[in-house]
Amino acid sequence: LDMWSVRAVVGRSITGQHLSQWALGSQQVVAVATAAFAVQYRRCPGNNNSARLVCGYTTSATHGGVVSPSTTRVGWIGTGVMGASMCGHILDAGYRVTAYNRTASKTAGVKAKGAQVVASPIAVAKQSDVIFSIVGMPHDVRDVILGPEGVLAGCKPGDIIVDMTTSEPKLAEEIHQRAKDKGVLALDAPVSGGDIGAREARLAIMVGGDSEALDRVKPLLQLMGKNIQHMGRASAGQSTKMVNQILIASTMISMVEGLMYAHKAGLDLATVIQAVGSGAAGSWSINNYGPRIIKRNFDPGFFIDHFVKDLGIAIAEADRMGLTLPGLATARGMYQTLQKQGHGQKGIHALTLYFENLNNHTMA
C-alpha cells in the first residue's frame, strides 16, 4: 500500500486526528477534476444493451461517462445501521434507486424516499448500472455478489459493482477477476466513520480497483463521504480498512482504560473528555463514543459482532504476512469475551462492560 494514501484516508476517520499529524509526516494533496457533459436520451424497456441502443437510451456508467441522476440507475444492497443513511443520500440527490435487504422491513426508510424495493440481488442488478453493497460478513458478500441469484449474475458489460462491506482482501480480488471476465468493473470501497459518519455524509472511503471505475462513480461516493482515497489495485481498499481496524482496536482499549481511571479518581467524565479531547490524546473515539459511554448508551454505531469479524480478518492477514501484532490479538480476545456474554449486537464502545466487569467498578 502507498503509505501517504493510508495516512490520508485513516488520519481523518474514526481512528483519530493525530495519525495525520505525526505518523507519516507531510501532507499529500490529491486533486481530481472531472469534465461535465450532457447526454440526450429517452427511456426504453428492457435490460440488455442491444434493446437500449436500438431505442437510443444509453447510460453514462455503461458507456464510460461519469454518473449523473439523469443517466444512471443505482442499485443498493444492505440497508442496515449505515447502509440506510448512505442510500438515503443518493436518493436525496435525485438518483433512481433499486434496493434490496435480506430483512425486507429494513428497507422501509429508503422506500419512503422513493427507492424501488425488489426481492433479490440479481433483480437489483438487472435494473441498475452501478450497484453498491454493504452487508455484514464475507459470506454475505459472496452470496449477494457471486451467488447464483447475486449481483454479478444480473450485470451486463459496463456495469460497476462497488462493495463497501469490510471484507476479506482475497474475496475482493476474486470479485474483481470474475467481474472482469464478464466485462464488469468492480471496486472494493470499505468505509470508516460509523453511523454518525454515514448519517452526516462524512465517511472516509478507501477504494481498491481500477481508477477508471472510481472516476466514473466518484460523484456517488462524494454523496457519502468527503475523504475518498484510491489505494491502488483490487483489494487495496480492504487492506487499508484492516489498517483502520487495527488502529481502532488499541484506541478503544486505551479510551476505556482512561475513562475508567478518571471515574475511579473521582473526576467528572464529561469535563475530562473536554479537557483531553482536543489535545494530544484526542481521537474520534473519545469525542464521539465517550459521551455515549457516560450516558450508558451502547446502541451500535458499529456492532461488536462485525468488529470481531474484522479483527479476525486482520489477524489472518497478519499471519499470512508473518507479522505478530499482540495489541490486535488482545483486543480481539476482549471483544470475543463480550460476544460470549451476549453483547455482540451492542456497539464497540461497549468494551466498557468488559473493563467494568474486570475491575468490579461501574462508571455510572
Side-chain angles (χ1 to χ4, degrees):
L1 295 175
D2 174 70
M3 295 303 290
W4 295 107
S5 297
V6 171
R7 185 195 66 81
V9 72
V10 303
R12 293 194 298 273
S13 70
I14 191 172
T15 310
Q17 67 266 38
H18 295 288
L19 179 67
S20 62
Q21 295 175 4
W22 52 261
L24 292 173
S26 61
Q27 183 178 13
Q28 177 195 48
V29 177
V30 178
V32 178
T34 58
F37 66 98
V39 177
Q40 297 297 323
Y41 74 99
R42 59 190 175 90
R43 290 179 182 266
C44 172
N47 288 308
N48 61 76
N49 286 336
S50 58
R52 282 151 60 165
L53 290 171
V54 167
C55 293
Y57 169 49
T58 62
T59 67
S60 57
T62 301
H63 294 279
V66 177
V67 299
S68 73
S70 63
T71 63
T72 306
R73 303 170 305 164
V74 176
W76 193 277
I77 297 171
T79 52
V81 171
M82 296 178 64
S85 295
M86 295 160 72
C87 182
H89 297 313
I90 292 174
L91 286 160
D92 291 342
Y95 284 88
R96 291 166 289 167
V97 175
T98 302
Y100 166 80
N101 193 77
R102 183 171 52 192
T103 304
S105 60
K106 293 184 178 180
T107 61
V110 298
K111 185 176 182 179
K113 285 192 170 190
Q116 178 187 1
V117 177
V118 294
S120 66
I122 193 173
V124 171
K126 287 180 177 180
Q127 299 182 52
S128 306
D129 308 302
V130 179
I131 305 97
F132 291 90
S133 58
I134 181 164
V135 293
M137 302 290 175
H139 65 81
D140 297 319
V141 175
R142 179 174 292 279
D143 183 47
V144 302
I145 296 180
L146 300 179
E149 292 292 311
V151 168
L152 190 57
C155 281
K156 58 203 166 294
D159 284 354
I160 303 174
I161 299 170
V162 186
D163 180 37
M164 307 189 82
T165 314
T166 300
S167 185
E168 298 166 342
K170 62 182 180 182
L171 179 55
E173 292 172 356
E174 181 181 352
I175 291 170
H176 174 81
Q177 185 58 54
R178 289 181 58 176
K180 184 178 179 181
D181 292 343
K182 194 174 179 179
V184 174
L185 295 169
L187 298 171
D188 50 288
V191 301
S192 182
D195 60 328
I196 297 172
R199 286 197 305 269
E200 299 179 357
R202 292 191 292 105
L203 293 170
I205 305 175
M206 314 155 211
V207 186
D210 298 331
S211 58
E212 172 198 356
L214 173 57
D215 289 343
R216 283 157 61 182
V217 303
K218 200 163 203 177
L220 289 166
L221 297 178
Q222 288 171 331
L223 297 172
M224 298 177 264
K226 305 309 177 189
N227 183 18
I228 302 162
Q229 298 291 330
H230 184 215
M231 306 310 303
R233 67 190 184 280
S235 79
Q238 296 295 354
S239 292
T240 305
K241 183 59 186 289
M242 290 302 105
V243 175
N244 192 84
Q245 302 305 72
I246 291 167
L247 289 164
I248 292 170
S250 294
T251 299
M252 294 301 296
I253 292 174
S254 60
M255 178 192 69
V256 175
E257 286 184 339
L259 291 178
M260 180 67 68
Y261 175 91
H263 191 269
K264 192 70 173 180
L267 301 174
D268 178 74
L269 294 185
T271 306
V272 168
I273 292 170
Q274 290 178 348
V276 305
S278 60
S283 69
W284 191 99
S285 296
I286 188 66
N287 290 316
N288 287 276
Y289 285 138
R292 295 190 191 188
I293 290 171
I294 292 173
K295 295 176 182 178
R296 310 297 293 178
N297 175 8
F298 298 120
D299 291 344
F302 189 64
F303 290 107
I304 286 175
D305 281 341
H306 291 173
F307 197 44
V308 170
K309 173 262 298 183
D310 293 355
L311 300 185
I313 294 171
I315 286 175
E317 288 294 298
D319 288 345
R320 183 180 62 81
M321 298 173 188
L323 293 175
T324 300
L325 304 177
L328 173 61
T330 298
R332 184 176 68 156
M334 292 177 178
Y335 279 107
Q336 286 176 322
T337 297
L338 288 172
Q339 265 189 321
K340 292 174 183 176
Q341 294 172 349
H343 301 302
Q345 292 295 295
K346 290 185 171 66
I348 60 173
H349 54 299
L351 185 62
T352 302
L353 302 176
Y354 177 91
F355 280 96
E356 289 182 340
N357 184 61
L358 182 67
N359 291 283
N360 195 28
H361 178 79
T362 301
M363 292 189 288

